[in-house]
Amino acid sequence: MMQRPLLRPEEYSLKETRPHLGGHAAGDKLTSTYDLVEQMQYLYVRVVKAKELPNMDITGGCDPYVEVKLGNYKGATRYFEKNNNPEWNQVFAFSKERIQSSVVEIVVKDKDLVKDDFIGRVIFDLNEVPKRVPPDSPLAPQWYRLEDRNGHKVKGELMLAVWMGTQADEAFPDAWHSDAASVPGDGIASIRSKVYLTPKLWYLRVNVIEAQDVIPNDKSRFPEVYVKAILGNQVLRTRVSPSRTLNPMWNEDLMFVAAEPFEEHLVLSIEDRVAPGKDEVIGRAIISLQQVPRRMDHRLLTSQWYPVEKHVMIDGEPKKETKFSSRIHLRICLEGGYHVLDESTHYSSDLRPTAKQLWKPSIGILELGILTAQGLLPMKTKDGRGTTDAYCVAKYGQKWVRTRTIIDSFTPKWNEQYTWEVYDPCTVITIGVFDNCHLNGGEKANGARDTRIGKVRIRLSTLETDRVYTHSYPLIVLTPGGVKKMGEVQLAVRFTCSSLLNMMHLYSQPLLPKMHYVHPLSVMQVDNLRRQATNIVSTRLGRAEPPLRKEIVEYMLDVDSHMWSMRKSKANFFRIMGVLSPLIAVAKWFDQICHWRNPLTTILIHVLFMILVLYPELILPTIFLYLFLIGVWYYRWRPRQPPHMDTRLSHAETAHPDELDEEFDTFPTSRPPDIVRMRYDRLRSVAGRIQTVVGDLATQGERLQSLLSWRDPRATALFVVFCFIAAIVLYVTPFRVVVFLGGLYVLRHPRFRYKMPSVPLNFFRRLPARTDSML
């Protein structure tokens, strides 16, 4: 039996916070660059270069480097061999919170095998260090004479700049941080903040039409020919040609995902199925994607004949290569009119078509301040104690951001702010928190994977414009042992709209680009293409420095969201019950009316019924007026907080251990014997599809509910205004005229129908559902 979960504990709820953003209280109208985060003070030391350093070695010359000391913290530049006029141009940053000294000491030393020699130093009193606030211009470095330990001037000068600033300083991202003093040199790269741009993805459509003069290796039989197409690690095949001739025909579409710059070639091979499990290559054609035409709509491009090369294979090696007259007829194009999905459609952060020419102007700006985290759990053990090295990743559209890693802290403070352009409000930004397991460098990590701490999704359409949202979001993960709170992350979010009219107009537009409706892809195609797109994105981001590793990208893109889970199925079932419960309540209320439980109410219903029968033209305006009044009435109880991960909605707290064991089982299953594995996997696959259908049904019902719930304030406002106008129009328009025109419209000729979805349908598809809050 499926049990209703208990009330959600307070620890899993969203909490409103009042941080001092940009040095001001939250909610103020702020204009500075870093107005969504708390100011963090840093002492910056820029070591530029030195000149006329004395010779320290017996052989003459010196191997200089600079050491910056501030209390217990010590940072050093790289050293130069035999150079009396070195240039370092390195910046050091010391957090003001941790400064325990009144002076900063910059020492020039000579690198030696036994003990490094002291050349000279410059000392600054922290009380005399100037402050710099961007957009003030950077502090110009100056030459300082070196002194010995007694304060006497010695030979050599050092060019420096020392100032107090905040994390808004341009020097901040590239600075050596005193917080990372314990990280070895090869791990420093893995803790830096970084902005990533994913490659532009295209759908590549290969229409394999026919081939001519196919010469099989065995000429005594007609070949069973098919075409195999390879692009990178994507492999697709046509069916075997039904025409058993030397001129086979297919007329079949193959779809791939290609990424700019187009480095990989499309390899087409014509193969002959000689026997079951045995295929022979008849010939190959290699096509460069740089030469492939691009199209923006569904107009057919001209097809082209491509020559096929024959390779004679001897002992597995190409011994000789001969060209012959066989050729293949193809129509190839890069589709610019589709949006290449690399994430679940429920949580899409971008819906624009690939081709820039089809982009509409942006409608606003999304600003995200990643402030702090509290109560993080120890994620690994170091020197016999638990520790966590946390960083955040945020993804919206093609831009991913990664904060710096805060070393060994359960309450890390990032206070980093990022900005994105918004082209559609019905999109979702995803923020994930992870534990860095690569502090010793990527090569020494022995296959270590960064651990997920939790993630947050925020749908932009649920945010009021120009309001700063400051909340502490619970970080929740599901483990084989059950649901677990890993801590909380504090965010500040602001969605600024540049044109309210343009944004309201978007609610009448299709969610996806036109090509998805005019020339739709099958569900199976979209699923396979999404998997390929995810692989390309994770590979590209994994090559960056510091890399965004595969486990991070897959978690952020919800790669395993389609997998079967008894818990998700139960959650979706109860979502449907939640949608149907008002209808059941109305049915029960009507049953009470029929049984005269409340005679006064029953008499009033009889009067209303007789009025509507005698004056049927009042039915529709009364319904719309009633909906208008309900919408206005519910405005008082509109949601004031953005959605967050809901453990109760996800049935994460009440999941049975056996269900969790099934959910975390490998796919295919690791349970013996073989026949059980086969049936079990088939059951999970089928059930996964049913689960998706049930979830989609629940989504539609929840979108209906959100019409009047003010979850999306702009959508509800549009609907309420529409209801009011519709009520007035229907009051003054004869009911028979409305029914007559409505019937004619519904029964209109196909010539007057369009493939594009209607405005009401577009509006409905843009409404938010509770999928945003699903784990």
Side-chain angles (χ1 to χ4, degrees):
M1 288 290 290
M2 290 187 264
Q3 297 292 323
R4 273 287 193 180
L6 302 171
L7 287 175
R8 180 175 67 251
E10 187 65 28
E11 62 174 323
Y12 292 134
S13 63
L14 195 67
K15 297 169 189 167
E16 191 152 3
T17 58
R18 300 288 293 175
H20 291 283
L21 303 182
H24 301 78
D28 288 353
K29 186 70 179 170
L30 305 168
T31 54
S32 70
T33 311
Y34 270 63
D35 63 341
L36 288 187
V37 292
E38 294 184 14
Q39 275 196 3
M40 297 173 73
Q41 297 291 327
Y42 284 88
L43 172 70
Y44 289 97
V45 179
R46 182 186 292 280
V47 180
V48 185
K49 57 186 174 180
K51 68 179 179 181
E52 299 174 3
L53 295 179
N55 295 330
M56 304 296 292
D57 298 342
I58 302 168
T59 57
C62 67
D63 308 327
Y65 71 94
V66 174
E67 198 172 73
V68 181
K69 291 199 285 188
L70 184 67
N72 298 328
Y73 293 110
K74 189 190 292 183
T77 67
R78 60 194 180 280
Y79 79 94
F80 290 95
E81 287 188 15
K82 309 293 182 203
N83 192 336
N84 295 65
N85 300 289
E87 276 196 39
W88 295 283
N89 203 22
Q90 284 182 246
V91 181
F92 298 83
F94 299 87
S95 173
K96 191 178 179 183
E97 285 183 353
R98 302 189 182 184
I99 292 177
Q100 295 177 344
S101 174
S102 58
V103 295
V104 58
E105 187 179 357
I106 298 108
V107 184
V108 183
K109 291 188 174 182
D110 174 45
K111 190 80 174 169
D112 213 336
L113 287 172
V114 183
K115 186 183 180 187
D116 297 346
D117 297 322
F118 175 90
I119 297 176
R121 68 181 180 181
V122 179
I123 294 178
F124 290 90
D125 188 328
L126 295 189
N127 295 323
E128 297 174 7
V129 170
K131 290 188 177 178
R132 187 220 162 192
V133 181
D136 292 355
S137 55
L139 201 68
Q142 298 178 33
W143 286 106
Y144 294 88
R145 280 287 299 274
L146 295 178
E147 300 175 351
D148 62 14
R149 297 187 199 277
N150 300 318
H152 300 122
K153 302 292 183 188
V154 296
K155 187 182 179 187
E157 290 183 64
L158 190 60
M159 184 182 269
L160 297 169
V162 181
W163 72 95
M164 276 287 183
T166 67
Q167 76 273 35
D169 203 293
E170 304 93 274
F172 182 78
D174 298 319
W176 177 93
H177 288 270
S178 55
D179 302 349
S182 61
V183 179
D186 55 358
I188 288 288
S190 75
I191 67 172
R192 289 222 165 111
S193 59
K194 174 89 175 180
V195 174
Y196 306 84
L197 288 175
T198 55
K200 186 191 279 190
L201 301 177
W202 294 75
Y203 283 144
L204 174 69
R205 189 187 294 272
V206 182
N207 180 219
V208 184
I209 303 169
E210 59 181 328
Q212 269 187 1
D213 301 325
V214 172
I215 304 170
N217 296 331
D218 180 6
K219 295 179 182 173
S220 63
R221 52 181 278 280
F222 281 113
E224 294 184 31
V225 182
Y226 67 92
V227 174
K228 181 164 80 174
I230 303 172
L231 181 66
N233 61 354
Q234 303 171 67
V235 181
L236 293 177
R237 294 174 176 83
T238 66
R239 66 189 187 283
V240 173
S241 172
S243 54
R244 303 288 176 84
T245 66
L246 299 181
N247 300 314
M249 295 190 68
W250 296 278
N251 200 20
E252 198 169 329
D253 270 2
L254 304 176
M255 293 284 283
F256 298 90
V257 178
E260 290 186 6
F262 302 117
E263 297 163 347
E264 293 164 335
H265 288 71
L266 175 67
V267 180
L268 294 162
S269 59
I270 301 174
E271 303 196 6
D272 180 12
R273 186 153 292 163
V274 181
K278 187 183 178 187
D279 301 326
E280 286 184 355
V281 177
I282 295 174
R284 285 192 180 92
I286 298 177
I287 299 161
S288 169
L289 297 191
Q290 306 278 4
Q291 315 302 325
V292 171
R294 305 173 184 191
R295 73 172 184 179
M296 309 300 149
D297 50 31
H298 59 289
R299 283 178 292 187
L300 277 181
L301 297 171
T302 54
S303 56
Q304 197 172 336
W305 288 95
Y306 292 87
V308 174
E309 298 176 357
K310 181 152 187 168
H311 297 265
V312 180
M313 307 291 285
I314 300 175
D315 297 328
E317 294 292 327
K319 201 72 178 175
K320 65 178 183 177
E321 187 178 307
T322 56
K323 292 203 174 177
F324 67 116
S325 59
S326 183
R327 55 185 192 156
I328 188 167
H329 193 195
L330 305 170
R331 184 180 285 111
I332 307 180
C333 66
L334 287 160
E335 298 278 14
Y338 289 93
H339 169 69
V340 180
L341 290 162
D342 60 349
E343 54 199 338
S344 168
T345 47
H346 292 305
Y347 315 124
S348 278
S349 61
D350 188 12
L351 301 163
R352 290 171 293 169
T354 300
K356 271 194 174 179
Q357 301 93 308
L358 300 177
W359 289 5
K360 289 177 178 152
S362 67
I363 52 114
I365 297 290
L366 169 66
E367 295 164 280
L368 171 70
I370 301 172
L371 303 173
T372 63
Q374 296 91 27
L376 297 185
L377 299 182
M379 303 303 294
K380 55 181 178 276
T381 306
K382 184 180 179 183
D383 301 329
R385 64 181 183 85
T387 180
T388 298
D389 307 308
Y391 66 93
C392 284
V393 174
K395 181 237 185 298
Y396 185 78
Q398 283 187 292
K399 180 177 169 183
W400 295 59
V401 299
R402 170 188 176 135
T403 67
R404 68 194 189 285
T405 300
I406 306 297
I407 308 298
D408 192 17
S409 174
F410 301 131
T411 56
K413 292 183 179 179
W414 294 286
N415 284 308
E416 296 184 27
Q417 184 170 337
Y418 298 95
T419 305
W420 288 266
E421 274 194 300
V422 177
Y423 291 86
D424 195 313
C426 302
T427 45
V428 176
I429 182 171
T430 307
I431 303 102
V433 185
F434 302 91
D435 175 50
N436 194 333
C437 296
H438 294 82
L439 298 183
N440 292 322
E443 302 305 316
K444 298 182 183 176
N446 297 324
R449 292 163 63 90
D450 287 356
T451 315
R452 54 181 74 167
I453 297 177
K455 71 180 165 190
V456 175
R457 298 189 201 101
I458 301 171
R459 184 173 291 270
L460 272 56
S461 65
T462 62
L463 304 176
E464 294 175 16
T465 50
D466 296 318
R467 175 184 162 187
V468 178
Y469 287 83
T470 52
H471 290 91
S472 191
Y473 294 80
L475 294 169
I476 302 164
V477 295
L478 197 64
T479 67
V483 70
K484 194 173 182 181
K485 183 179 176 184
M486 311 295 286
E488 296 177 359
V489 63
Q490 189 179 351
L491 303 173
V493 186
R494 178 171 56 211
F495 173 38
T496 311
C497 171
S498 55
S499 169
L500 187 63
L501 200 63
N502 281 351
M503 185 158 67
M504 291 301 197
H505 174 65
L506 269 175
Y507 279 88
S508 69
Q509 299 300 302
L511 199 61
L512 290 166
K514 185 178 177 181
M515 280 290 286
H516 287 271
Y517 306 100
V518 176
H519 208 299
L521 304 172
S522 70
V523 174
M524 192 71 77
Q525 264 184 316
V526 169
D527 200 36
N528 290 334
L529 290 168
R530 184 192 161 203
R531 198 176 304 116
Q532 296 300 340
T534 305
N535 285 339
I536 290 171
V537 170
S538 62
T539 303
R540 289 287 180 90
L541 293 179
R543 289 186 205 150
E545 191 60 51
L548 262 189
R549 301 179 191 279
K550 187 176 183 184
E551 64 269 21
I552 307 297
V553 177
E554 289 185 347
Y555 182 56
M556 295 291 286
L557 292 178
D558 286 290
V559 167
D560 55 357
S561 61
H562 66 285
M563 294 294 281
W564 157 256
S565 157
M566 180 65 77
R567 175 190 62 83
K568 285 182 189 172
S569 296
K570 285 167 66 175
N572 285 335
F573 171 78
F574 282 118
R575 282 171 66 202
I576 286 184
M577 293 302 292
V579 168
L580 295 177
S581 59
L583 296 177
I584 295 167
V586 168
K588 286 181 179 177
W589 172 78
F590 188 71
D591 186 61
Q592 289 176 348
I593 296 295
C594 294
H595 286 86
W596 289 73
R597 297 280 168 86
N598 188 333
L600 183 62
T601 308
T602 305
I603 291 168
L604 286 173
I605 292 296
H606 275 77
V607 171
L608 179 64
F609 172 68
M610 284 185 280
I611 290 171
L612 294 178
V613 167
L614 292 172
Y615 303 99
E617 62 271 16
L618 296 180
I619 294 174
L620 282 176
T622 304
I623 290 171
F624 278 109
L625 188 61
Y626 183 59
L627 290 172
F628 166 75
L629 293 172
I630 290 175
V632 172
W633 181 254
Y634 277 0
Y635 180 75
R636 296 166 59 192
W637 296 285
R638 67 192 183 280
R640 302 299 177 101
Q641 297 179 334
H644 63 286
M645 297 299 183
D646 193 331
T647 54
R648 181 185 175 190
L649 178 68
S650 308
H651 282 247
E653 298 167 64
T654 57
H656 192 275
D658 184 57
E659 293 172 7
L660 290 172
D661 177 66
E662 181 182 29
E663 184 167 345
F664 283 90
D665 186 16
T666 55
F667 190 84
T669 176
S670 56
R671 307 292 185 266
D674 292 344
I675 189 70
V676 174
R677 181 184 295 123
M678 183 271 292
R679 290 175 179 172
Y680 184 44
D681 290 343
R682 182 174 61 192
L683 175 64
R684 291 173 79 189
S685 176
V686 172
R689 290 170 186 269
I690 295 170
Q691 165 189 304
T692 303
V693 171
V694 171
D696 287 343
L697 286 172
T699 298
Q700 307 313 319
E702 285 164 1
R703 282 174 176 160
L704 272 175
Q705 286 182 326
S706 66
L707 276 172
L708 295 170
S709 70
W710 297 93
R711 174 79 275 175
D712 180 346
R714 285 163 291 275
T716 304
L718 281 171
F719 182 70
V720 167
V721 169
F722 167 77
C723 289
F724 182 69
I725 294 169
I728 293 171
V729 170
L730 291 168
Y731 269 122
V732 299
T733 309
F735 182 68
R736 292 178 180 83
V737 173
V738 174
V739 172
F740 179 73
L741 293 175
L744 284 180
Y745 178 77
V746 171
L747 299 171
R748 67 193 185 281
H749 192 271
R751 182 182 296 171
F752 302 108
R753 296 178 187 272
Y754 302 96
K755 286 188 177 181
M756 298 302 291
S758 63
V759 169
L761 191 58
N762 292 331
F763 179 85
F764 182 76
R765 284 174 176 168
R766 289 175 169 277
L767 292 168
R770 301 189 74 190
T771 47
D772 302 333
S773 303
M774 291 287 289
L775 274 173

